[in-house]
């Protein structure tokens, strides 16, 4: 992946490969704990909170065409259950591997005059810059792939009641009396008739009271 911005060695996700030199087979192992960058995960679903610790174990290997980076990231991810909307937390472990190419070498390790002649090929490749590489794009991709697209608090989560929104796990016997839609209209009609009968009875009682007064 070509980049126009220069890398800052003070960035905790920027690593220096100068110790390896260009000696194929040279190895370097690194461990580092960093603060999670913003939006590390699946936005609006689950991810590692900004500033949370992320443990990195890296293996840097010098090869003919660049530096092969293999590693694992570990962190605590947080999100929301897609069924019952309760908070979800899980231990994240994301593995990754990527080749960071020397800017003056092709995929066979041969020196080339001008890197980036093939724009499409450039888009699929990561490059070293003055012996530095930025792990953040690789870390983001790895974390997204390691996280569940639909996190749940437990595999058998029953979710929420579709009628009142109650959490079904809190009340396994929760239910609503179902009314057959074929009878719903009749029940409404029956209710109307009952109300009408009550009105008629009230009217009849009132008339009877008037008659009694007149007779007296």
């Amino acid at each position: 992946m070509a980049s126009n911005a220069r890398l800052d060695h003070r960035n905790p996700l920027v690593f220096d490969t100068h110790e390896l030199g260009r000696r194929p087979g040279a190895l370097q192992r690194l461990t580092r704990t960093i603060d999670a960058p913003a939006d590390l995960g699946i936005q609006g679903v689950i991810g590692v909170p900004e500033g949370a610790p992320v443990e990195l174990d890296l293996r840097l290997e010098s090869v003919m065409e660049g530096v092969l980076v293999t590693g694992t990231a570990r962190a605590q991810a947080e999100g929301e259950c897609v069924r019952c909307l309760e908070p979800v937390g899980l231990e994240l472990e994301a593995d990754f591997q990527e080749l960071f190419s020397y800017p003056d070498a092709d995929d066979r390790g041969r020196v080339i005059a001008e890197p980036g002649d093939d724009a499409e090929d450039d888009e699929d490749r990561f490059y070293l810059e003055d012996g530095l590489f930025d792990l953040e794009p690789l870390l983001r991709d790895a974390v997204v792939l390691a996280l569940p697209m639909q996190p749940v608090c437990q595999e058998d989560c029953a979710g929420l009641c579709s009628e009142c929104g109650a959490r079904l796990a809190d009340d396994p016997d929760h239910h609503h009396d179902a009314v057959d839609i074929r009878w719903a209209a009749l029940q409404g009609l029956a209710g109307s008739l009952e109300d009408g009968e009550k009105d008629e009875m009230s009217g009849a009682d009132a008339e009877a009271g008037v008659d009694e007064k007149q007779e007296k």
Side-chain angles (χ1 to χ4, degrees):
M1 179 183 295
S3 173
N4 293 324
R6 294 187 63 82
L7 298 182
D8 183 354
H9 68 278
R10 295 169 296 181
N11 184 330
L13 283 169
V14 170
F15 291 82
D16 192 333
T17 68
H18 283 102
E19 281 190 24
L20 292 173
R22 288 203 176 188
R23 305 186 305 276
L27 292 175
Q28 185 179 9
R29 295 184 183 276
L30 300 172
T31 59
R32 183 179 294 182
T33 299
I34 63 154
D35 293 337
D39 303 321
L40 183 60
I42 305 171
Q43 194 168 5
V45 180
I46 189 170
V48 181
E50 183 176 1
V54 179
E55 297 178 3
L56 300 173
D57 290 329
L58 302 180
R59 178 178 184 270
L60 313 184
E61 180 181 2
S62 179
V63 295
M64 288 292 294
E65 59 269 34
V67 175
L68 182 65
V69 178
T70 305
T72 301
R74 298 181 182 85
Q76 179 73 24
E78 297 177 3
E80 189 177 77
C81 177
V82 296
R83 297 179 189 170
C84 70
L85 308 183
E86 286 293 304
V88 172
L90 60 85
E91 293 291 334
L92 168 72
E93 184 169 305
D95 297 322
F96 48 85
Q97 185 177 72
E98 187 61 61
L99 173 66
F100 287 83
S101 300
Y102 297 125
D104 59 351
D106 65 10
D107 56 5
R108 294 183 182 178
R110 298 175 300 188
V111 175
I112 55 179
E114 290 293 334
D117 289 341
D118 189 334
E120 291 185 3
D121 184 55
D122 260 7
E123 287 297 319
D124 297 330
R125 296 178 69 178
F126 291 83
Y127 287 93
L128 294 170
E129 180 184 304
D130 296 329
L132 305 176
F133 69 87
D134 184 3
L135 189 67
E136 184 170 341
L138 185 57
L139 176 64
R140 289 188 178 280
D141 289 346
V143 167
V144 168
L145 291 175
L147 288 171
M149 294 295 294
Q150 295 188 316
V152 292
C153 57
Q154 52 189 25
E155 291 300 325
D156 59 350
C157 176
L160 302 177
C161 173
S162 59
E163 294 190 36
C164 69
R167 187 169 181 262
L168 298 178
D170 296 333
D171 183 9
D173 297 325
H174 179 86
H175 71 282
H176 295 268
D177 293 330
V179 177
D180 192 319
I181 58 174
R182 293 172 296 179
W183 297 103
L186 292 178
Q187 286 183 344
L189 178 60
S192 299
L193 291 175
E194 289 178 1
D195 292 340
E197 290 176 357
K198 289 179 181 177
D199 292 340
E200 290 178 2
M201 292 178 65
S202 297
D205 291 342
E207 291 178 1
V210 171
D211 293 341
E212 288 179 0
K213 288 181 181 179
Q214 289 177 348
E215 289 176 1
K216 292 179 179 178

